[in-house]
Amino acid sequence: MSGERTYDVVVVGAGSTGENVADVVVRGGLSAVLVEAELVGGECSYWACMPSKALLRGSEALSAARAVSGAAAAVTGEQDATATLARRDSFTSNWSDASQVEWVRVAGIDLVRGSARLDGEKTVVVTDADGAETRLTATHAVALCTGSEAAVPPVAGLRDVEPWTPREATSAKEVPGRLIVVGGGYVGCEMATAWSALGSTVTVLERGDRVLAGAEPVAGDAVTAALRAAGVDVRLGTAVQAARREGTEVVVTVAAGDGPAEEVRGDQVLVAAGRRARTHDIGLESVGLEGEGFLDVDDTLQVRGLPWLYGVGDVNGRALLTHMGKYQARQAAAAIVARAEGRDVDTSDWSPFVATADTHAVPSVVFTDPQVASVGMTSAKAAESGRPHRVVEYPIGSVAGASVHRDGYEGTAIAVVDTEREVLLGVTFVGYDVAELLHSAVIAVAGEVPIARLWHAVPAYPTISEVWLRLLETWRNG
């Protein structure tokens, strides 16, 4: 495919964020084209959310069964790793994007495959696998939805050992005998959980004093304890100094604090130490922007200083989560349509054209065992903000529904309360299967629901949601 074409909107990147931008603008009456160099559906569908959760689900189900007397007797074997990997493959359609391409066609969106680069105002040049170029011109807007990619820290020899990134960790075809995980964030902890349960001997190297550093401390402590109980060697305060290969082995040199250097040996090493924007080599210089780094955008996701250019999803660094990218896509697309029609774009807090949730009500779940589900501010973030607040905690295991759910349930619910306005600034749940509790907290935080009103939101008995009542009682009782 070559030549020149004109569309109302050109969307670079056909992951879930780009798909949503294109879909909303087309439903708003504009024409749109998606440009993608890899698989339509992007990171979440093939290398992140879906395959990782497929890898984790088997161990979650077994853990739940083993925690219920009577049901535990039925668990007489171990997880079938081969079957788990096959189920994971089905979640990714064996890395075929045929169904996603068909969705794009039915949605009335054009698709151009190839590597894209900006070439001046409202212009994108796409080079396909054969070197042919297609020049795309946007009448109204170009949306950059190129996402993010794994960052590899500048450690001597680390790139040379050809480490796994999260992509390889979620798509591996066999269980590594020994896996070294560099980084104790959510990816590192989830992959340590998954591969350990499938039979790998796992070592986690975290340079900080706890895993899940951005979460409430109790969350990191609970996940560390669970990983260690599962046989994972979790090393905190441990810096990676170098890496090399010796035959089939990976050798990682580490040091804990001021202690002597030592070597950790494994069959594979996973680098899960952060993300960087996919903005290099996409022609930002042609429109006067820096050639790499996260894009600086306003709350309508418009790149500052370039009213025709939008940076949506991970590429702007505001909230690197699939669901927040989709949220931003809906907001940005609505603004693009309104501006194309000559309408004023309302930028107030509750406007359908601006993104506000990605700065104060970001939900996230770490699918370890126990899970960590949170939204809004942690107690540390509230303290940093200077807002008057109080932290309320309640043991989830003390709720009747938790004892029904599993024997010996352990977990913690934490609410951060604005003491002036008496609304929730943030909520964290740490425990088994708490992910499904989270959206109630998202509504309370995003909607700034007064605690006086939440008191009348009565939880069903006996469910784990009764922890809401206990949190509010603890708040009332001071």
Side-chain angles (χ1 to χ4, degrees):
M1 203 175 284
S2 60
E4 298 187 5
R5 302 192 209 170
T6 299
Y7 294 88
D8 291 323
V9 181
V10 176
V11 181
V12 180
S16 55
T17 297
E19 287 178 324
N20 275 271
V21 171
D23 185 39
V24 174
V25 298
V26 166
R27 287 192 280 113
L30 304 181
S31 62
V33 59
L34 278 167
V35 183
E36 179 54 57
E38 296 184 293
L39 297 177
V40 176
E43 206 77 13
C44 176
S45 297
Y46 305 104
W47 299 288
C49 316
M50 298 309 294
S52 66
K53 303 315 169 278
L55 288 174
L56 287 158
R57 181 54 190 157
S59 57
E60 288 177 345
L62 285 171
S63 172
R66 288 169 175 153
V68 178
S69 298
V75 183
T76 58
E78 295 301 318
Q79 188 172 181
D80 185 327
T82 300
T84 297
L85 295 181
R87 183 171 186 262
R88 181 274 317 272
D89 292 352
S90 73
F91 273 55
T92 66
S93 301
N94 289 292
W95 289 273
S96 166
D97 64 358
S99 62
Q100 298 264 21
V101 171
E102 176 61 11
W103 175 85
V104 170
R105 184 191 68 78
V106 171
I109 304 163
D110 281 359
L111 173 65
V112 175
R113 290 190 182 269
S115 300
R117 70 178 188 279
L118 291 167
D119 190 27
E121 184 173 336
K122 296 183 181 179
T123 302
V124 174
V125 175
V126 184
T127 305
D128 68 17
D130 298 323
E133 291 188 346
T134 301
R135 192 174 188 83
L136 304 173
T137 301
T139 304
H140 295 295
V142 173
L144 298 178
C145 307
T146 50
S148 65
E149 62 190 11
V152 178
V155 171
L158 188 55
R159 286 187 179 275
D160 297 334
V161 303
E162 298 181 344
W164 277 2
T165 69
R167 280 194 169 199
E168 289 77 27
T170 56
S171 61
K173 296 301 184 183
E174 58 185 34
V175 180
R178 296 166 299 167
L179 177 64
I180 302 168
V181 179
V182 178
Y186 75 92
V187 172
C189 289
E190 286 188 354
M191 290 298 93
T193 299
W195 288 113
S196 173
L198 291 172
S200 183
T201 299
V202 180
T203 301
V204 175
L205 306 174
E206 167 54 46
R207 67 182 304 154
D209 59 2
R210 69 174 190 270
V211 302
L212 304 179
E216 296 285 2
V218 68
D221 293 344
V223 171
T224 296
L227 287 171
R228 286 173 172 164
V232 176
D233 181 5
V234 180
R235 304 191 185 189
L236 304 177
T238 301
V240 176
Q241 297 181 329
R244 69 182 190 277
R245 279 201 179 271
E246 289 185 1
T248 60
E249 279 192 323
V250 177
V251 183
V252 178
T253 303
V254 302
D258 297 327
E262 60 178 305
E263 293 181 343
V264 179
R265 293 176 177 264
D267 299 300
Q268 189 53 266
V269 57
L270 162 62
V271 177
R275 310 283 295 177
R276 66 171 188 162
R278 282 189 182 142
T279 50
H280 46 284
D281 300 328
I282 63 169
L284 293 180
E285 300 91 340
S286 74
V287 294
L289 298 175
E290 293 290 332
E292 60 182 57
F294 292 107
L295 297 176
D296 181 23
V297 299
D298 65 18
D299 286 345
T300 66
L301 293 312
Q302 202 174 69
V303 175
R304 297 186 195 278
L306 296 172
W308 55 273
L309 186 62
Y310 292 74
V312 193
D314 278 16
V315 74
N316 61 45
R318 287 166 62 121
L320 279 66
L321 294 161
T322 295
H323 44 280
M324 299 315 295
K326 292 180 178 181
Y327 162 73
Q328 289 181 6
R330 295 189 294 270
Q331 305 304 92
I336 290 169
V337 171
R339 286 169 172 147
E341 294 174 348
R343 291 187 281 133
D344 290 334
V345 172
D346 174 18
T347 56
S348 62
D349 282 353
W350 305 110
S351 167
F353 308 121
V354 303
T356 55
D358 56 7
T359 58
H360 79 278
V362 178
S364 69
V365 180
V366 184
F367 288 87
T368 46
D369 192 13
Q371 295 174 345
V372 179
S374 62
V375 61
M377 289 186 174
T378 60
S379 52
K381 287 293 183 183
E384 287 176 19
S385 74
R387 299 191 192 191
H389 68 281
R390 189 172 130 222
V391 180
V392 180
E393 296 188 20
Y394 194 84
I396 300 176
S398 297
V399 173
S403 62
V404 172
H405 193 72
R406 63 188 293 150
D407 301 341
Y409 192 108
E410 294 183 359
T412 306
I414 302 171
V416 182
V417 184
D418 183 319
T419 53
E420 282 189 351
R421 296 186 299 147
E422 294 199 355
V423 298
L424 295 173
L425 296 173
V427 178
T428 297
F429 300 111
V430 183
Y432 303 97
D433 297 325
V434 294
E436 300 304 330
L437 283 177
L438 183 59
H439 197 59
S440 55
V442 175
I443 293 170
V445 173
E448 299 180 342
V449 181
I451 287 180
R453 291 297 301 154
L454 283 178
W455 183 256
H456 298 283
V458 181
Y461 182 91
T463 66
I464 300 177
S465 291
E466 192 187 8
V467 73
W468 276 105
L469 172 61
R470 304 307 175 200
L471 277 172
L472 297 179
E473 285 180 336
T474 304
W475 160 257
R476 278 195 165 189
N477 294 334

